Amino acid sequence: MYSIAGYSLSEAGYDVWLFNARGTGLSRTYSIYSKAGTAPRMNKMSWDFSFHEMGIYDFPTAVDFVLNKTGRPKLDVIGYSLGATIALVGLSEKPAYNNKVDKLVLMAPTTRMTSYGFPISAFHRGSLLFKYSMKEQNFFPAVQDPDAAHRYMRWLCTYTIFYPYCLLYIDTVQGSRINYNRDMVVNTLTDFPQPVSKKMLFHWMQLMSSKRFCKYDYGVGGNMQYYKIKSPPDYNLSKVTTAVYILHSKNDNLSAIKDVNWLVDKLPNVKDVYYIDNIKFGHLSFVMHANIDRLINNKIKNALLTNAFN
């Protein structure tokens, strides 16, 4: 779940729990700091993970933690972008957890990536060069202290002369030119992007090249060892039997219409789909748009209460 939707749901009376992905901000273990206030030792943590490991290990652990703390038999899950991917991997690979999830709300889900615009297309075309440049790195961006880098980015973006470049960066990431609130842009760049494992990025490149929603490709030898077949198997989305609600938009270059429609066809229990096509609304709009309460948060609350976006 993303925190903006979380605040809205909390104000509506929901008990909200936020999932922090590996390698980001507060999820980094204290062992990577030599002492309080010092720069983190980023290579002290393991970066040998992709969204697959997050789905089969972290997602079930988070679900069990919340249910054990609350004493409830089920919970609702809201996933945005990578969060949606993690939830789908977890529920397809650990199908017993469908009995623990009442409703699954997916915002701008990223799964199979056959249709995408700039900058993803440029990233894909330069994948071989990028892989070579990452040969000695475990994570990206390869900064020694992400916290300091974000503080510096925020400082730069507060200056009028630099702000247009900060907005351009946000636009480039999502592939759409959308005017966001200045404070929202500055606040977002205080934490975004967080370090991403090399394996995660390589897995996304693989999805773009193969045009499949499949497990990590270790090469023929590694695949035979891990999967007993020469190529990585697809995630079996037919095993995601919980009730699913999907929100997506026309101007989203990461979660494209074609791929979302494919996902809808693959999932056996899609209850409602909400498609935004009458305004400019990109991938980051799901967490940054000025009218996010009316366009997104209220729709989510309707789905949780009435089983439809309305």
Side-chain angles (χ1 to χ4, degrees), residues 85-263:
T85 311
I86 292 170
L88 290 170
V89 169
L91 293 173
S92 61
E93 291 293 294
K94 303 280 187 178
Y97 278 81
N98 285 278
N99 296 324
K100 301 183 179 185
V101 177
D102 187 29
K103 297 180 181 71
L104 174 63
V105 180
L106 305 178
M107 296 191 294
T110 47
T111 51
R112 188 187 72 159
M113 299 186 72
T114 64
S115 179
Y116 42 81
F118 183 84
I120 302 301
S121 56
F123 179 64
H124 183 211
R125 285 195 294 270
S127 59
L128 290 178
L129 178 62
F130 179 77
K131 286 184 177 181
Y132 180 79
S133 69
M134 289 293 294
K135 189 175 182 180
E136 302 300 325
Q137 299 292 335
N138 295 320
F139 59 92
F140 180 85
V143 294
Q144 293 301 314
D145 187 352
D147 296 334
H150 285 128
R151 286 194 297 269
Y152 182 66
M153 179 72 78
R154 181 183 179 89
W155 175 76
L156 279 179
C157 292
T158 57
Y159 286 86
T160 303
I161 190 173
F162 293 115
Y163 177 74
Y165 298 99
C166 298
L167 182 59
L168 177 62
Y169 171 72
I170 292 290
D171 291 336
T172 301
V173 167
Q174 70 172 356
S176 302
R177 182 72 194 213
I178 299 175
N179 290 322
Y180 291 120
N181 175 278
R182 185 189 184 96
D183 290 339
M184 182 65 77
V185 171
V186 173
N187 290 336
T188 297
L189 292 178
T190 301
D191 298 300
F192 176 80
Q194 288 287 329
V196 179
S197 72
K198 174 171 67 176
K199 187 175 183 180
M200 175 86 77
L201 292 173
F202 286 6
H203 201 167
W204 283 118
M205 290 178 183
Q206 173 196 320
L207 298 189
M208 288 184 275
S209 298
S210 67
K211 302 187 184 302
R212 299 164 53 204
F213 184 43
C214 56
K215 299 179 184 180
Y216 190 79
D217 190 348
Y218 291 97
V220 174
N223 291 337
M224 290 298 296
Q225 177 183 349
Y226 282 98
Y227 314 124
K228 310 303 179 187
I229 53 176
K230 292 183 178 180
S231 62
D234 290 342
Y235 291 108
N236 188 353
L237 294 173
S238 68
K239 293 186 177 181
V240 182
T241 56
T242 192
V244 177
Y245 302 80
I246 297 176
L247 304 93
H248 66 122
S249 64
K250 181 178 180 179
N251 301 112
D252 190 338
N253 281 341
L254 279 78
S255 180
I257 302 169
K258 179 180 178 181
D259 295 324
V260 173
N261 288 340
W262 172 86
L263 176 63

